[in-house]
């Protein structure tokens, strides 16, 4: 049995207001999403780590033309820099810009039950 | 010695087509064969690209269907799917096959329908396009493809001060070029004011910053270097680079640098023993105006951070020092996903032959094509040159 982080565990954490990532024991890089091996060096020595739930908006956009299955318009998607890793999520307050500090405020869920973290200004 | 040569090229007009995929492809493939002066029986293999026909039209296993339609049933066909970089990856594999001596004469092409002729409306097609972003770690946020490139572009604006006016300048230039291209989806010029007045799709992109949903097909005939001189109008393929980057965006080191494009360009220039400075023009993957600015920097045509000012100053116009997208680009020529990569190579072929008509870049000897797929996670860069 491997204790390597899975999508299921990552999602359970998101639903609990937590963020999990992986740190490579060989090259030291941290990823914000689970993989079977380090995308940078190929090492399988990936340690599951708790990521900070507070970070700084690295980039963001407000989407006015959604895909089918998303009913709202004008929702904001961001990549949040958590220090050692970045993660993509929704911004629950639509007036957040690059450089603003945000914290996990919950999560969103799509039609197939896949979740993404949500953030709000701190 | 070139890696291969393009000896025939053809494409449909990009736009709205009410006809099945095989008929659409035939309208590109038969002209490409005729241009090369080859019969279907002379084709050793077919390298083909289509990204989404299974999702959009319930139409898969297209390889033998298309081969049957254009008179080459029986040849080995391989189909490629790499989002928007689909047919340039088919082209890369074709070049490698003739370069390695596995085949002598091959057909390469792509076809796609993305307009409501497929039965899919804008919201449905937006979701199909979004399938190229990460299913678990990007799609649940409601991310769309305008959104993907908006994320890259807003960070670029933050780092370098790139402006919405500079983005609009890209749209104005490419619509002007497209107006001179009889195969372009849009034949109408626009203005910075009109572009900046459009509705926002995903900020900073307004409607005129975005390429359209298009239907279309494109094809080229590729032969080995040894055979090239036995054809009327060969154009050399000097280098083809291909690289990928980490998915999802959150795990990329510096998303807006589009690292795969830089890696692919370095490979292509090295194979061709050339450099960005030697390129007389470029066809780049301007699915959104910001994407052209990122590409101009990733290919080394301008310095990092100078993509916006270069567009504003007219440097990337047909009469500028680094002409970009004389065809009108994806923005104005249109973007039928699986047909886009080979359509860029059709433009390079016509320009390097000196047969591009009103949009001809005078004296073009060397050119580069940049075809990007997904969240910038696949890029193929091709250098073509006038045959010596």
């Amino acid at each position: 049995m491997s204790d390597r982080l899975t999508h299921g565990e990552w999602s359970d954490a998101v639903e609990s207001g937590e963020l999990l990532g992986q740190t490579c024991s060989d090259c030291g890089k941290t990823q914000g999403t689970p993989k079977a091996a380090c995308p940078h060096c190929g090492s399988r020595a990936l340690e599951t780590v708790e990521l900070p739930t507070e970070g700084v908006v690295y980039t963001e956009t407000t989407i006015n033309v959604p895909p089918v299955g998303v009913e709202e318009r004008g929702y904001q998607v961001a990549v949040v820099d958590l220090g050692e890793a970045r993660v993509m999520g929704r911004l629950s307050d639509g007036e957040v810009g690059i450089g603003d500090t945000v914290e996990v405020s919950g999560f969103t869920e799509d039609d197939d039950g896949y979740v993404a973290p949500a953030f709000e200004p701190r | 010695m070139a890696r291969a040569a393009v000896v025939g090229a053809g494409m449909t007009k990009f736009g709205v087509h009410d006809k099945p995929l095989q008929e659409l492809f035939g309208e590109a493939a038969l002209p490409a064969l005729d241009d090369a002066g080859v019969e279907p029986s002379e084709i050793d293999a077919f390298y083909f690209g289509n990204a989404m026909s299974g999702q959009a039209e319930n139409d898969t296993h297209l390889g033998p269907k298309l081969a049957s339609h254009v008179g080459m049933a029986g040849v080995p066909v391989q189909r490629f799917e790499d989002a928007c970089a689909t047919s340039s990856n088919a082209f890369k594999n074709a070049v490698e096959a003739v370069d390695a001596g596995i085949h002598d004469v091959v057909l390469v092409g792509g076809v796609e329908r993305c307009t409501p002729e497929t039965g899919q409306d804008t919201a449905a097609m937006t979701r199909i396009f979004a399938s190229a972003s990460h299913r678990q770690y990007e799609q649940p946020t409601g991310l769309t493809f305008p959104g993907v490139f908006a994320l890259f572009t807003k960070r670029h604006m933050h780092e370098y001060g790139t402006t919405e006016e500079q983005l609009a300048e890209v749209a104005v230039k490419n619509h002007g070029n497209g107006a001179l291209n009889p195969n372009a989806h849009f034949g109408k010029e626009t203005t910075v004011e009109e572009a900046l007045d459009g509705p926002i799709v995903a900020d900073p992109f307004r409607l005129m910053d975005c390429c359209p949903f298009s239907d279309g097909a494109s094809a080229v005939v590729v032969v080995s270097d040894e055979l090239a001189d036995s054809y009327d109008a060969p154009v050399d393929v000097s280098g083809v680079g291909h690289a990928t980057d980490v998915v999802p965006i959150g795990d990329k080191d510096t998303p807006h640098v589009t690292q795969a494009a830089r890696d692919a360009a370095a490979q292509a220039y090295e194979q061709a023993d050339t450099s960005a400075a030697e390129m007389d023009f470029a066809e780049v993957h301007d699915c959104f105006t910001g994407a052209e600015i990122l590409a101009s920097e990733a290919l080394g045509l301008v310095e990092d951070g100078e993509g916006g000012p270069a567009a504003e100053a007219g440097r990337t116009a047909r009469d500028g020092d680094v002409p970009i997208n004389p065809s009108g680009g994806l923005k104005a020529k249109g973007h039928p996903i699986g047909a886009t990569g080979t359509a860029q190579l059709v433009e390079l072929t016509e320009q390097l032959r000196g047969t591009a008509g009103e949009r001809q870049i005078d004296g073009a000897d060397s050119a580069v094509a940049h075809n990007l797929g997904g969240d910038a996670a696949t890029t193929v860069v091709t250098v073509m040159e006038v045959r010596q």
Side-chain angles (χ1 to χ4, degrees):
Chain A
M1 276 292 288
S2 166
D3 58 359
R4 195 178 294 139
L5 181 64
T6 64
H7 172 250
E9 292 159 356
W10 183 91
S11 300
D12 289 345
V14 166
E15 291 184 33
S16 306
E18 295 168 359
L19 298 174
L20 296 180
Q22 292 173 313
T23 297
C24 177
S25 302
D26 286 324
C27 76
K29 288 210 177 195
T30 298
Q31 304 291 315
T33 60
K35 294 176 184 63
C38 175
H40 298 284
C41 75
S43 170
R44 298 178 195 180
L46 297 174
E47 181 190 355
T48 300
V49 293
E50 268 190 50
L51 298 171
T53 54
E54 180 183 307
V56 175
V57 174
Y58 179 79
T59 187
E60 53 76 28
T61 182
T62 299
I63 294 175
N64 287 333
V65 181
V68 70
V70 178
E71 298 307 322
E72 56 190 309
R73 284 171 180 259
Y75 55 91
Q76 200 172 13
V77 174
V79 176
V80 177
D81 195 328
L82 304 169
E84 52 208 23
R86 301 190 196 110
V87 67
M88 185 178 289
R90 275 285 185 94
L91 290 173
S92 49
D93 177 331
E95 295 298 320
V96 177
I98 292 175
D100 289 349
T101 301
V102 294
E103 62 185 359
V104 170
S105 60
F107 67 96
T108 58
E109 185 170 354
D110 73 10
D111 287 351
D112 292 325
Y114 291 128
V115 297
F119 295 86
E120 65 184 9
R122 184 169 169 274
Chain B
M1 190 180 119
R3 296 196 66 194
V6 172
V7 298
M11 67 180 284
T12 68
K13 180 178 169 62
F14 285 179
V16 179
H17 288 283
D18 177 19
K19 61 185 64 171
L21 290 169
Q22 72 274 11
E23 292 184 11
L24 193 53
F25 183 70
E27 292 182 10
L30 299 185
L33 294 171
D34 292 346
D35 182 38
V38 303
E39 295 297 323
S41 60
E42 297 171 67
I43 298 289
D44 298 327
F46 174 24
Y47 290 76
F48 165 67
N50 170 276
M52 312 182 307
S53 63
Q55 294 155 281
E57 307 199 51
N58 196 39
D59 200 355
T60 61
H61 201 209
L62 290 173
K65 294 177 184 172
L66 300 188
S68 299
H69 190 74
V70 299
M72 51 183 73
V75 300
V77 188
Q78 34 278 305
R79 173 188 173 160
F80 295 82
E81 186 276 298
D82 284 282
C84 306
T86 284
S87 54
S88 60
N89 195 4
F91 178 78
K92 182 205 79 166
N93 280 272
V95 168
E96 290 183 342
V98 300
D99 195 20
I102 295 168
H103 298 304
D104 294 321
V105 183
V106 300
L107 179 68
V108 185
V111 64
E112 198 92 48
R113 296 205 309 168
C114 306
T115 72
E117 291 292 340
T118 56
Q120 311 287 346
D121 64 12
T122 295
M125 194 55 77
T126 297
R127 178 177 158 88
I128 292 171
F129 274 46
S131 70
S133 62
H134 201 292
R135 182 68 193 91
Q136 284 75 40
Y137 306 119
E138 292 178 332
Q139 290 180 44
T141 64
L143 187 66
T144 61
F145 261 87
V148 167
F149 284 87
L151 291 171
F152 296 160
T153 300
K154 283 195 92 169
R155 186 69 198 186
H156 191 272
M157 296 167 90
H158 175 79
E159 299 266 352
Y160 296 114
T162 311
T163 66
E164 292 185 23
E165 289 74 14
Q166 290 168 347
L167 300 180
E169 292 283 3
V170 173
V172 170
K173 168 182 68 71
N174 289 353
H175 273 261
N177 291 347
L180 302 177
N181 185 349
N183 288 326
H185 192 154
F186 294 134
K188 187 172 81 68
E189 296 186 3
T190 189
T191 63
V192 169
E193 294 70 29
E194 191 178 9
L196 291 175
D197 198 35
I200 293 174
V201 174
D203 79 308
F205 297 144
R206 296 171 184 274
L207 186 61
M208 292 301 280
D209 289 295
C210 305
C211 69
F213 290 128
S214 310
D215 308 327
S218 59
V220 294
V221 176
V222 175
V223 304
S224 62
D225 183 68
E226 291 75 13
L227 288 179
D229 289 326
S230 60
Y231 294 86
D232 288 343
V235 179
D236 282 352
V237 181
S238 308
V240 187
H242 176 197
T244 64
D245 196 2
V246 183
V247 183
I249 293 168
D251 288 334
K252 294 187 204 299
D253 276 344
T254 311
H256 68 266
V257 306
T258 63
Q259 189 60 44
R262 291 168 192 250
D263 294 345
Q267 294 169 23
Y269 293 146
E270 185 181 358
Q271 289 168 24
D273 191 24
T274 189
S275 68
E278 300 301 315
M279 297 298 110
D280 294 312
F281 74 94
E283 283 286 311
V284 311
H285 197 88
D286 60 326
C287 45
F288 305 94
T289 52
E292 176 167 317
I293 287 172
L294 303 184
S296 67
E297 297 175 10
L299 292 177
L301 301 171
V302 300
E303 296 288 318
D304 283 350
E306 289 301 311
E312 189 169 29
R315 292 182 58 198
T316 56
R318 289 195 320 286
D319 61 356
D321 65 310
V322 281
I324 295 180
N325 285 326
S327 73
L330 284 58
K331 173 72 265 277
K333 184 177 59 184
H335 184 25
I337 306 297
T340 288
T342 29
Q344 291 180 326
L345 305 174
V346 170
E347 180 72 11
L348 262 60
T349 300
E350 291 184 1
Q351 289 279 355
L352 293 170
R353 285 172 169 177
T355 59
E358 282 185 279
R359 63 184 193 284
Q360 180 67 44
I361 305 293
D362 288 337
D365 290 324
S366 303
V368 60
H370 157 285
N371 187 203
L372 175 155
D375 65 352
T378 290
T379 309
V380 178
V381 173
T382 302
V383 173
M384 292 178 63
E385 296 175 294
V386 169
R387 188 163 178 83
Q388 297 301 316

